Amino acid sequence: LYDHSRTASALATALWRYHADNESDTDMAAKAMRKRSDWDEEKFLLIQGDFFGVQSFIFATGTDTRKRAAKLLRGRSLYVSLITECAALHVLEALDLPPTSQVTNAAGKFLIVAPNTPEVHQKLAQVQAFFDDWFLQESYGQSGLGLAWLPASCNDFISSGDNNAFQALMKKLFDALEHKKYQ
């Protein structure tokens, strides 16, 4: 129930911000939502973040000795979690979104739901450039944090029969992130 409420909050926030940023008439938008006449309009932006190079970072030299290897592994794993959490918070702050817009954060990955506006796209490009510069400076490019984003409509979250639209949407997002990783 908690996860459902948190996800519903993220979707509602993105929807409200989309209409507020586009200066939509709220009464007209509410009527369109009830009639589902605008459910194909891409109002949401799913943002996936991923810490690249986790394996090589965690298992870097020093963990091959038996002495304190477990502590080194735990410490490096915590470091990855902290970097991912800070990166997600940086994205939320740059987009002026509340913490509830972050749907997941685990295993070096996070997912944020945002409004699909040109301003958000521009800010995400700036945040990605910041991450690229920071990781080049701190890890010489051996690890990094990539962002991939994909517009989505209300119908992309609905599945019916054999059509699992959300699963297809998430596959596209993971493919975009994979493409980003190899850039």
Side-chain angles (χ1 to χ4, degrees), residues 5-98:
S5 298
R6 189 171 174 96
T7 304
S9 173
L11 292 168
T13 300
L15 196 59
W16 175 80
R17 280 283 305 277
Y18 175 84
H19 287 290
D21 290 352
N22 288 324
E23 298 176 1
S24 303
D25 179 14
T26 54
D27 291 334
M28 293 296 286
K31 289 176 185 175
M33 286 297 291
R34 279 193 290 277
K35 293 179 184 177
R36 296 186 178 192
S37 62
D38 66 344
W39 279 37
D40 286 325
E41 188 178 340
E42 293 178 329
K43 298 179 180 184
F44 302 100
L45 193 67
L46 298 181
I47 305 164
Q48 179 90 35
D50 188 11
F51 187 102
F52 303 140
V54 171
Q55 296 290 336
S56 60
F57 176 78
I58 290 179
F59 298 110
T61 58
T63 57
D64 50 352
T65 63
R66 291 177 188 240
K67 193 173 185 178
R68 296 191 185 116
K71 285 185 180 182
L72 283 171
L73 290 173
R74 282 195 307 270
R76 289 179 181 171
S77 180
L78 174 65
Y79 188 69
V80 168
S81 295
L82 289 174
I83 285 179
T84 307
E85 183 67 30
C86 288
L89 291 173
H90 185 77
V91 171
L92 290 169
E93 186 177 316
L95 301 179
D96 196 28
L97 291 171

Side-chain angles (χ1 to χ4, degrees), residues 68-135:
R68 296 191 185 116
K71 285 185 180 182
L72 283 171
L73 290 173
R74 282 195 307 270
R76 289 179 181 171
S77 180
L78 174 65
Y79 188 69
V80 168
S81 295
L82 289 174
I83 285 179
T84 307
E85 183 67 30
C86 288
L89 291 173
H90 185 77
V91 171
L92 290 169
E93 186 177 316
L95 301 179
D96 196 28
L97 291 171
T100 53
S101 292
Q102 180 180 332
V103 178
T104 61
N105 188 347
K109 291 182 176 15
F110 61 85
L111 178 65
I112 294 173
V113 179
N116 185 21
T117 62
E119 181 184 354
V120 169
H121 287 264
Q122 179 185 7
K123 287 181 179 179
L124 283 173
Q126 292 170 350
V127 169
Q128 181 64 68
F130 171 78
F131 290 155
D132 292 344
D133 290 342
W134 190 87
F135 277 97

